[in-house]
Amino acid sequence: MVVVVLGLHCKVVSDEARAMYNGGTAGLTYWSPNVNILRDPRWGRGQETPGEDPIVAGKYAARYVKGLQGYAKGNRLKVAACCKHYTAYDIDNWKGVDRFHFNAKVSLQDLADTYNVPFKSCVLQGRVASVMCSYNQVNGKPTCADSNLLKNTIRGSWGLSGYIVSDCDSVGVLFDNQHYTRTPEEAAAETIKAGLDLDCGPFLAVHTQGAISKGLLNEFDVNNALTNTITVQMRLGMFDGEPSAQPYGHLGPRDVCTPAHQELALEAARQGIVLLKNRKSSLPLSTRRHRTVAVIGPNSDVTVTMIGNYAGIPCGYTTPLQGIGRYAKTIHQAGCAGVACKGNQQFGAAEAAARKADATVLVMGLDQSIEAEALDRVGLLLPGHQQELVARVAKASKGPTVLVLMSGGPIDVSFAKNDPRISAIIWAGYPGQAGGTAIADVLFGTTNPGGKLPMTWYPQDFVEKVAMTNMAMRADHSNGYPGRTYRFYKGPTVFSFGQGLSYTSFNHKLLEAPKEVSVTLTKFNVPINSTILRNGIKAKHTNCKELTLGFHIDVENTGTMHGTHTLLVFSTPPSGRWSANKQLVGFQKVHVPAGSKQRVWFGIQVCKHLSVVDNFGTRRIPMGNHKLQIGDYKHSISVQLSTRN
């Protein structure tokens, strides 16, 4: 979880975007971020998202958008961000099911408390300039032709000030692939009347005039869509003349790839690295004791792999091999010809390298040939013979063996977790241009890792039992469906959501926390009876602005190394009908020097953080004891209904 650095990172992105726009080499509308929930570990585009938790995704979305769009006075935009892909989109191509034909069957409950949460945050907190509708259908209706999703929700309930755009050729897809309308003119009319303003593709340009001529659409609808689109261009200053005379006109080539920007890319990579195993404190490595390091694996000397998908042109690369080479003498063996690792012909040389070295680092994992847009995975194991390579090298190594994983999605590495010969496991994600430096800094202790997993790492048998097409979040014990994500899945995991180790240790102490809160009804015509109390109070029936609880927590670094700790606060509703296991309600990153304490304040909003969503998509506040969990510490809050007027 690297939300803390995200706002600054996006400001740098928008600085460089404006600099390139001023030079005539870029535009000002950026169709980013992807804030879809990582519901299924096989999804090829999971690497683009902030993970499986809606609270994290929502905060990420708002920070990302604000960083890109800037904080100019009035309604002006630095660049225009776009939150995508709305909604319930997380299948690209799995076992013959593709995004162009998929109908996501989603309950009102799951839409309200999972799939739509980050998009709502984009609009309400981020004030995003654009939302993109997705290829798939939701409950039998293409999202780009669904007036309830577009006109009523995004623009109506949430109040979007901007435009709604289709994913590229989505309007053509709903006509040509999904056969949703009989004629192309009907498709044009349906989408524009539903609230679509802009088509990424030629379909509306070709067929809108015909829709008007046939009386399916009127000019008012078209003008309304044009107004929403052109208004954003005006907010960007695209009609204000020479770019150099505008507020960001001073930005130019000298503002691209600056030393400060490259240092930020390195810092983002450092913060994103997650230490998952560290047996007998094998890490950090020592430059004195580990003078020779065997660097092995198909991702050990890669460049483009590190930037994942949808990336710009990097300023330069530092590979893991190059990064480690700054600390120690290296012996390099790829071991496999690419991550597919179809043979073991090179394993002998890799084993020989491990025998000669004081420590061994295996850089394994995935790349865009395994997980990508239009390419979902079938399983979660390392591809090809990678597992065999890791096991053989670990057996041959005379020193500690560290497994470094590059991937966007989770991998079942249970074999490595349980193998005592594998000393440590690190997940680096796709760490960007400076990934090799960041990995080496963590390996040798220049950086104390503080990252946390943004998703559950499931065992392989999870995907063998669960179809990717099942969109339900909650477990269904009647048919053995186990549920999804840490909130609803209670089965075994390889590594859990929020997991991540440090080279130091932290203690938590709750200093100040309320033990009870009274909720007062503001709708006096609501009857107070056992049914209401059992079902919970509708959040809209109380004054939510008055229901914020403050908590003070001391975080103590009890180890010998300075470290950064991400404090995670979870809430569990009263036992009974509510099926959520626990829900993240807040997180905060704090740097704590060795031997010292830092005090952290959390604000818990009752209507948002101590509420649940019922089967009808209505947010309710359950009465009773809610449990907060902060690390190993637990605290109970009694929520009761006040009968006073």
Side-chain angles (χ1 to χ4, degrees), residues 23-94:
T25 58
L28 289 177
T29 54
Y30 284 76
W31 289 347
S32 187
N34 181 340
V35 296
N36 291 117
I37 296 296
L38 180 52
R39 171 191 61 94
D40 192 288
R42 293 163 284 194
W43 188 30
R45 300 187 74 175
Q47 61 188 291
E48 300 174 33
T49 77
E52 69 181 36
D53 181 78
I55 293 290
V56 171
K59 289 195 174 187
Y60 170 97
R63 294 261 184 114
Y64 195 117
V65 169
K66 288 179 179 178
L68 281 183
Q69 296 189 167
Y71 298 87
K73 291 182 180 180
N75 210 20
R76 297 297 291 263
L77 295 167
K78 189 177 182 183
V79 303
C82 175
C83 290
K84 62 183 186 183
H85 313 77
Y86 180 77
T87 184
Y89 165 71
D90 56 4
I91 287 183
D92 268 63
N93 193 347
W94 176 79

Side-chain angles (χ1 to χ4, degrees), residues 430-449:
Y430 292 123
Q433 66 177 42
T437 301
I439 290 168
D441 287 348
V442 168
L443 289 173
F444 283 89
T446 302
T447 295
N448 188 351

